[in-house]
Amino acid sequence: MMAAVNQRKPSGPKHTKLSIHVVTWNVASAAPPRDLSDLLLLNNQNLNLDMYIIGLQEMNSGIISLLSDTAFEDPWSSFFMDVLSPLNFIKISHVRMQGLLLLLFAKYHHLPYIQILSTKSTPTGLYGYWGNKGGVNICLKLYGYYVSIINCHLPPHLCNNDQRLEHFDRILETQNFEGSAIPNVLDHDLILWFGDMNFRIEDFGLHFVRESITKKNFSQLWEKDQLRIAKRDDPLLREFQEGPLLFPPTYKFDKKSNNYDTSEKKRKPAWTDRILWRLKRQPHIKPLTPCLPAPYFFLSLKSYVSHMMYSISDHKPVTSTFDLELNPLMSVPLITMMPESLWTVENDMLISYSSTPDFLSSCWDWIGLYKVGMRHIYDYVSYVWAGDNQVSLSDNLNQVYINISDIPKTENEFLLCYYSNSLNSVVGISKPFKIPLRFFLKDNSLDEDEPRI
């Protein structure tokens, strides 16, 4: 039976349920394998996911690789976008620190309700000067709720448990936002914390641990797991929840095999790769106004498993799938795009959109035209600055035009997204639509290669 937050389900206003899949994997500098369908649950026809949160550790961080990844997309990010973008998932944020990478994907219709507030890196290697160990964080507002996502790589070796706990605290402390409207991280509605935490199994010898794994007698090993011991003694760590460890320890394996370490060191197996969460306990609060629902989160863990089939690394990947039920504190997008009112004047296509009264636009806001299946927010076909060539029809209704020569002549479906520079996020997105080929006719003449209608 998977863990669930001990709160009653909402009974009043209609609530939203999001399905979130979290991945953590120490990839040991390896390139992506050909197929990650099992890891991403792509073969589960009954699962309708809304978000992917992917954290990798020990990506190839040599100088040549880092320079290449800076100039181009790193191979892991490219792989995930290639796989997920045809399924209408868009990479909406990422942060990298040497070998640590954190990626956030969401279905495109959620974009107006996800505001990226901050991305941070906390190096803890070499006394805080080197990023081979530490944590990376994405802080966001999700339907009006504060969420922090942390991917970490803590110090290795059995004897360094105190150092691991110290780094855990240090990473958490750096997530505070001084002089900002963003609350303290411990006041966030949800913290998802995962990664190669490197906690080991104390006391038991190698033979006993391996024998217990063979017999699937994991319960004896849990009692000596350093993280579970620390949670009993540390009040803050105790607030973080974890699902039951019903899978074999995920470290250390011989690469390209399912055999635990057969090298001279013969490292003792351990559950180094973990996924934790902390939900802010919310008392029952009446809404401030009758039209707003009371804040409410209900989080349930649907699965917590390892994926033994992957052998490119000495670690096995671990995933959790969550259902998050919430009363949206934000239910109307700041911008409403209206592609149904598209029309052309000479060589221009006009786009109409409306805004809520409290939306503060910027001259650096822009509207992008995208093919359905775009990889990330900068993967536009064309764009226009929202403040350029704009016609205000009323206080909150506007039109802006895109030069039609920038638009591909295709039968593909498109989307329009309004990007707010001050909020660093998409605040409005249209439904998919097609651009009639008649829009591309000029003076009733066509190039030879252009379709005739």
Side-chain angles (χ1 to χ4, degrees), residues 30 44 93 143 154 157 175-176 189 217 231 245-246 251 263 270 330 333 343 345 353 418-419 443:
N44 190 335
S93 187
Y143 283 89
L154 302 181
H157 307 309
Q175 304 311 312
N176 292 330
D189 299 283
N217 189 5
K231 280 171 64 65
L245 298 169
L246 301 179
Y251 173 86
S263 70
M330 179 185 181
W343 57 291
V345 175
Y353 65 94
Y418 188 110
Y419 186 88
D443 301 325

Side-chain angles (χ1 to χ4, degrees), residues 178-447:
E178 295 182 8
S180 169
I182 305 173
N184 183 292
V185 66
L186 294 178
D187 291 322
H188 288 188
D189 299 283
L190 175 64
I191 301 173
L192 283 168
W193 193 322
F194 49 86
D196 180 2
M197 299 189 181
N198 259 320
F199 289 105
R200 306 304 171 98
I201 296 172
E202 293 184 346
D203 297 341
F204 295 138
L206 174 64
H207 178 76
F208 180 85
V209 171
R210 288 193 173 183
E211 189 72 18
S212 298
I213 295 170
T214 301
K215 295 179 179 179
K216 296 186 177 180
N217 189 5
F218 300 139
S219 59
Q220 294 185 74
L221 304 182
W222 296 342
E223 298 304 314
K224 298 297 180 180
D225 172 73
Q226 289 178 330
L227 178 55
R228 290 173 67 95
I229 294 171
K231 280 171 64 65
R232 290 197 294 263
D233 300 331
D234 188 308
L236 179 57
L237 196 54
R238 196 181 305 141
E239 295 180 8
F240 284 86
Q241 301 182 60
E242 183 181 19
L245 298 169
L246 301 179
F247 50 88
T250 53
Y251 173 86
K252 173 181 169 66
F253 289 86
D254 295 335
K255 291 183 180 180
K256 300 184 179 180
S257 82
N258 282 334
N259 300 320
Y260 285 104
D261 187 15
T262 60
S263 70
E264 288 185 9
K265 294 183 179 179
K266 288 187 172 59
R267 293 176 180 86
K268 191 165 56 174
W271 286 286
T272 56
D273 310 281
R274 314 289 277 268
I275 299 174
L276 311 177
W277 76 93
R278 177 187 182 272
L279 193 71
K280 180 183 175 184
R281 300 288 175 170
Q282 295 178 352
H284 182 70
I285 303 173
K286 291 184 178 180
L288 297 177
T289 62
C291 61
L292 292 177
Y296 192 89
F297 255 39
F298 179 85
L299 189 74
S300 57
L301 177 66
K302 311 308 288 186
S303 72
Y304 187 34
V305 298
S306 63
H307 298 259
M308 299 294 289
M309 63 184 295
Y310 300 109
S311 56
I312 61 171
S313 169
D314 52 355
H315 291 250
K316 300 297 182 183
V318 173
T319 65
S320 285
T321 305
F322 297 94
D323 278 348
L324 175 61
E325 295 184 46
L326 53 88
N327 285 338
L329 301 181
M330 179 185 181
S331 57
V332 178
L334 296 173
I335 295 288
T336 300
M337 309 299 303
M338 294 176 280
E340 65 274 6
S341 61
L342 289 174
W343 57 291
T344 57
V345 175
E346 297 181 354
N347 296 329
D348 298 315
M349 182 178 76
L350 271 74
I351 300 165
S352 299
Y353 65 94
S354 62
S355 60
T356 59
D358 56 340
F359 175 67
L360 298 177
S361 62
S362 160
C363 60
W364 297 108
D365 292 354
W366 49 274
I367 297 171
L369 177 71
Y370 301 82
K371 287 184 181 179
V372 170
M374 70 272 208
R375 294 156 62 88
H376 51 78
I377 197 58
Y378 296 104
D379 190 22
Y380 45 73
V381 171
S382 181
Y383 76 94
V384 61
W385 296 107
D388 290 350
N389 306 316
Q390 179 176 290
V391 179
S392 295
L393 303 179
S394 67
D395 289 341
N396 64 348
L397 182 62
N398 299 278
Q399 287 183 329
V400 67
Y401 58 83
I402 294 179
N403 191 302
I404 204 164
S405 64
D406 296 331
I407 301 172
K409 303 170 183 63
T410 174
E411 288 281 4
N412 287 69
E413 284 195 310
F414 292 87
L415 292 167
L416 289 165
C417 293
Y418 188 110
Y419 186 88
S420 166
N421 182 69
S422 57
L423 297 176
N424 299 312
S425 304
V426 170
V427 294
I429 188 167
S430 72
K431 294 180 180 179
F433 63 93
K434 287 188 176 183
I435 300 177
L437 290 178
R438 61 182 173 81
F439 279 12
F440 302 107
L441 292 172
K442 297 179 182 178
D443 301 325
N444 295 320
S445 63
L446 290 166
D447 295 336

Side-chain angles (χ1 to χ4, degrees), residues 5 11 21 36 43 45 55 78 88 99 108 172 206 218 268 284 289 294 317 362 387 412 432:
V5 176
S11 57
H21 190 60
L36 287 176
N43 298 324
Q45 300 296 324
S78 292
N88 294 325
Y108 65 77
L172 191 63
L206 174 64
F218 300 139
K268 191 165 56 174
H284 182 70
T289 62
S362 160
N412 287 69

